[in-house]
Amino acid sequence: MSRSLPPSACSGSTLGLLFRQVRDAMWARMEHELGVAGHELTFSQYIALKKLSDGPHGVTDLARAAELNPGAMTRLLDKLEARGLIAREADPADRRAVNIQLTEAGRAMWLDVNQCGQRVRERAMHGMSDAEREQLMRMLEQVRDNLSLSDT
């Protein structure tokens, strides 16, 4: 049974506030899961590791993904490198560029961190059918796409 909210339910800042509350609640739950698993990561470090889990990336790509400036990303990467989670390697195609990749320790940590994320996502979607989960994801993607600045 579909429940429709009156147009006033999404007026003002209610929709934006709800998105912010969901984001904050997701990260608070993730911090809890990471703490229980013994991992200390900031949100930006988590995003960098997540991005690196699919292969090497440059500082600019990582900064864009974490919504940081390149200088802040470099400092974040320094911390991850000091912990032995990432390695920097010269880009063979461009000697001015550096590729960042996970080390073995970084990959092992990511596998555990990703399990924490899976538990958080499952908790967030608890009580929803597969169809409802798919519908929610489609609707959120539509909201994101509707707000995209690319068509202004």
Side-chain angles (χ1 to χ4, degrees), residues 24-79:
D24 291 351
M26 290 279 296
W27 182 245
R29 179 54 60 178
M30 186 65 176
E31 281 185 315
H32 172 77
E33 287 286 335
L34 290 171
V36 169
H39 302 299
E40 289 185 31
L41 290 175
T42 66
F43 181 72
S44 296
Q45 289 171 335
Y46 170 80
I47 295 299
L49 292 176
K50 179 178 177 60
K51 184 86 171 157
L52 291 169
S53 71
D54 66 13
H57 288 278
V59 174
T60 303
D61 286 343
L62 295 172
R64 192 175 304 118
E67 297 182 359
L68 295 174
N69 67 55
M73 179 52 69
T74 297
R75 290 186 295 279
L76 180 149
L77 294 172
D78 288 343
K79 291 175 183 175

Side-chain angles (χ1 to χ4, degrees), residues 8-21:
S8 62
C10 290
S11 65
S13 63
T14 305
L15 181 62
L17 179 60
L18 182 58
F19 284 145
R20 177 69 185 251
Q21 289 169 336

Side-chain angles (χ1 to χ4, degrees), residues 143-152:
V143 169
R144 179 203 59 209
D145 294 346
N146 287 346
L147 296 172
S148 172
L149 296 176
S150 64
D151 64 347
T152 58

Side-chain angles (χ1 to χ4, degrees), residues 100-149:
I100 316 299
Q101 61 186 4
L102 292 177
T103 61
E104 284 299 318
R107 279 189 284 282
M109 181 181 185
W110 174 251
L111 291 175
D112 196 35
V113 166
N114 196 36
Q115 290 299 310
C116 292
Q118 184 59 37
R119 287 191 296 275
V120 170
R121 290 184 295 275
E122 273 305 309
R123 184 180 180 106
M125 301 283 198
H126 179 76
M128 294 183 201
S129 68
D130 288 345
E132 289 170 326
R133 291 173 184 218
E134 289 174 21
Q135 180 182 20
L136 175 62
M137 293 305 292
R138 279 193 313 272
M139 292 169 74
L140 290 172
E141 288 168 353
Q142 181 177 352
V143 169
R144 179 203 59 209
D145 294 346
N146 287 346
L147 296 172
S148 172
L149 296 176

